[in-house]
Amino acid sequence: MTIDIKFSLDDSDIEFFRGVMNRAQDGADHCTEQEIIGAARLLLQGVEPAKPPLFVRERLERLSTMIAMLEDPDWPLDGQERIDVISALAYFHNPADLISDDVPVIGLIDDAIMIELVARELKHQLEAYDEFCAYRSGEERLRGEDVSREDWLKAKQEQLMKRMRERLGRINRTSRGSTRLTR
C-alpha cells in the first residue's frame, strides 16, 4: 500500500529556501571545491541503506548527477557553469540543515527540496550533461568498449558524412563537374 502526500511551495516558501541556500553559500565561502563535493557525496553515502521515499531518492539521483558532472574528465565544466554547480552543492556542506538527516523518513525532505530547487536552476546544464552521457553510453555500447574523445569525434564525423552523402545521393553530377538536382 502506498500513500501519496503532496504539498506545494508558494513564492514565500521558495524565497525561504533561497535564503537558506544563500546563507549556506556564504558559510561555504572558505571551503574548497573538493570539500563541498565531499560533503554532498557524504550525504549520498549516508542514505544508501536507509531507503528513503521515492521523492527523495529521485532528487538524490540528481545530486549524484551534479557531482558526476563536476568530476567527469570528459565533461570539462568550467567558468560560471562550474561555479553555479559548486554553489548549488554548498547547502550540503552545512551540517545543521533544516531537518536532521537522522529523523526517519522525513529527515531528507529538506535536502530533496533544496536539490529540486537547484536542479531547476541548473536545468540546462543537467540536460546537456544527461544528453552527453547518453551519447557516450550509446557509443560505448556500439563499440563494446570505452570510447575516447577522438572516437566520439570520429563517430560524429562519420554520422555527418553519411547524412551528407545520403543527401548528395539526390544530386546528379554531370561529366562537366556541375551539379543538377534529380527529380
Side-chain angles (χ1 to χ4, degrees):
M1 176 174 99
T2 61
I3 298 174
D4 286 337
I5 299 173
K6 296 182 181 189
F7 61 93
S8 298
L9 299 176
D10 64 17
D11 289 340
S12 65
D13 297 326
I14 292 171
E15 197 57 38
F16 168 78
F17 277 97
R18 282 199 174 116
V20 171
M21 174 57 85
N22 290 337
R23 287 189 296 280
Q25 289 169 337
D26 291 343
D29 276 348
H30 66 282
C31 299
T32 68
E33 183 176 299
Q34 290 309 313
E35 289 173 328
I36 292 172
I37 293 170
R41 185 176 285 111
L42 275 176
L43 171 69
L44 292 173
Q45 291 170 351
V47 171
E48 291 180 32
K51 305 268 193 240
L54 180 61
F55 170 82
V56 173
R57 285 194 313 262
E58 289 172 347
R59 274 56 188 188
L60 292 175
E61 287 174 19
R62 294 315 284 163
L63 178 62
S64 180
T65 300
M66 289 179 215
I67 294 169
M69 189 168 45
L70 290 167
E71 297 181 328
D72 191 332
D74 296 325
W75 185 255
L77 190 65
D78 57 5
Q80 189 59 47
E81 290 86 11
R82 187 170 195 87
I83 292 167
D84 291 346
V85 176
I86 293 296
S87 293
L89 298 180
Y91 175 79
F92 306 101
H93 189 268
N94 182 3
D97 56 3
L98 295 173
I99 303 171
S100 172
D101 296 344
D102 296 334
V103 177
V105 182
I106 65 165
L108 295 170
I109 298 244
D110 61 320
D111 299 311
I113 291 170
M114 197 61 75
I115 294 166
E116 180 65 23
L117 292 175
V118 298
R120 287 175 185 220
E121 290 182 15
L122 298 173
K123 177 184 181 209
H124 300 296
Q125 294 96 322
L126 290 166
E127 284 177 354
Y129 184 66
D130 287 343
E131 287 179 32
F132 169 78
C133 289
Y135 176 76
R136 174 173 56 188
S137 179
E139 287 299 308
E140 288 173 350
R141 276 193 304 277
L142 285 173
R143 298 176 188 272
E145 59 188 51
D146 286 343
V147 179
S148 71
R149 186 172 191 277
E150 291 92 26
D151 293 334
W152 299 338
L153 291 173
K154 185 176 180 188
K156 193 63 166 177
Q157 180 188 32
E158 289 170 0
Q159 177 187 20
L160 293 171
M161 294 297 274
K162 179 181 177 194
R163 185 176 74 192
M164 178 188 71
R165 288 182 183 116
E166 287 171 354
R167 290 178 179 172
L168 286 173
R170 290 179 262 157
I171 298 174
N172 204 6
R173 297 191 185 272
T174 64
S175 60
R176 286 185 268 150
S178 64
T179 59
R180 189 175 52 150
L181 292 176
T182 59
R183 297 178 195 253

